[in-house]
Amino acid sequence: MLGVLIDPDHAADGDLLERTVQHACMAKADLILVGGSLLTTDGFDACVRRVKELSDRPVVLFPGSPAQLSGYADALLFLSVISGRNPELLIGHHVTSAPTVKALGLEAIPTGYLLVDGGRMTTAHYVSQTSPIPHDKPGIAAATALAGELLGLKAIYLDTGSGAPRTVAPDMVKAVRDAVDLPIIVGGGVRNSEQAQALCAAGADMLVVGTAFEEDPERVFALREAVTLARR
Ligand code: 1GP
């Protein structure tokens, strides 16, 4: 699957938001995700509503904080940053947001989020105040994902963070694929078809791409094709 990530801060430019969502729909992206590690503009709810209005794709929240909830979405990645040891991101934010999630009627998908070193410090790294898993330590990622599966999580998200110079290494995706039966989402730094095919071949079930489509929404067509080819 291919997920198109909309960062509400970057989408404050309404034209870019419209073009990105329209291209995602034309390319038949499987999901549109909305969220970001840090929100510096208001209007999160309005952004999700606008995406939903423009889109015929399912809209799923990928929240960086409990402030990023909206009843206009179809579902929510209920994220636990299991690569880190920050209690707020393991249980604190969940407690804060659980009543709102329930009241909004959002489908919550319990997701183990693994932050992986992608060559430089990203916003996700800085804001989460957690150490990423070293890029060349697939065994740590596999053990962490397995712990998540044993704890009852329903998906694993391997991420080098938005705009990272490097993607997660295919070797690491493969190690996680061998360790768990859960759907594996991979994001951070995916820019071209070769990377997409390598990650899918290693066992990724969904790729999430944001920055490359902000730079040029038309790139969604090539990545859609790469993901579709990898599925065959
Ligand atoms: C970030 O996985 C997403 O959490 C997407 O990253 O913006 O680098 O595509 P990019």
Side-chain angles (χ1 to χ4, degrees):
M1 294 168 72
L2 177 66
V4 173
L5 176 64
I6 305 280
D7 182 323
D9 269 359
H10 302 176
D13 167 355
D15 284 350
L16 176 64
L17 176 73
E18 283 192 20
R19 286 210 313 134
T20 307
V21 174
Q22 283 164 355
H23 280 77
C25 294
M26 283 190 283
K28 303 231 174 299
D30 297 284
L31 292 180
I32 296 183
L33 296 102
V34 184
S37 306
L38 178 69
L39 211 58
T40 59
T41 51
D42 59 6
F44 182 81
D45 199 45
C47 174
V48 179
R49 185 174 66 183
R50 187 73 186 125
V51 172
K52 194 66 193 159
E53 281 168 2
L54 290 166
S55 162
D56 59 0
R57 313 276 90 198
V59 176
V60 176
L61 302 180
F62 176 44
S65 79
Q68 295 178 33
L69 294 174
S70 168
Y72 293 108
D74 297 297
L76 155 79
L77 297 186
F78 203 51
L79 298 163
S80 296
V81 184
I82 58 175
S83 58
R85 301 296 180 266
N86 179 343
E88 285 303 308
L89 305 183
L90 289 165
I91 185 60
H93 286 181
H94 310 70
V95 174
T96 312
S97 60
T100 308
V101 171
K102 178 121 179 161
L104 292 173
L106 281 168
E107 177 189 352
I109 303 164
T111 303
Y113 181 89
L114 278 65
L115 184 60
V116 178
D117 180 39
R120 71 166 165 81
M121 185 180 276
T122 59
T123 307
H125 181 176
Y126 182 79
V127 170
S128 69
Q129 298 179 51
T130 63
S131 302
I133 295 174
H135 197 260
D136 60 349
K137 298 286 182 190
I140 297 177
T144 306
L146 180 57
E149 182 174 56
L150 296 177
L151 282 165
L153 298 174
K154 301 295 186 212
I156 295 294
Y157 194 138
L158 298 167
D159 196 0
T160 53
S162 199
R166 282 197 296 195
T167 69
V168 175
D171 276 4
M172 183 178 282
V173 176
K174 170 89 170 59
V176 172
R177 176 75 290 152
D178 290 344
V180 301
D181 293 324
L182 300 175
I184 300 174
I185 306 165
V186 178
V190 179
R191 315 181 69 80
N192 59 52
S193 303
E194 292 71 29
Q195 291 168 325
Q197 279 176 333
L199 292 166
C200 291
D205 295 291
M206 178 161 83
L207 300 185
V208 175
V209 180
T211 304
F213 299 155
E214 285 175 6
E215 291 168 359
D216 180 2
E218 300 221 356
R219 286 186 186 165
V220 70
F221 297 110
L223 286 174
R224 164 80 273 174
E225 196 183 345
V227 169
T228 304
L229 284 173
R231 194 159 52 190
R232 291 192 182 133

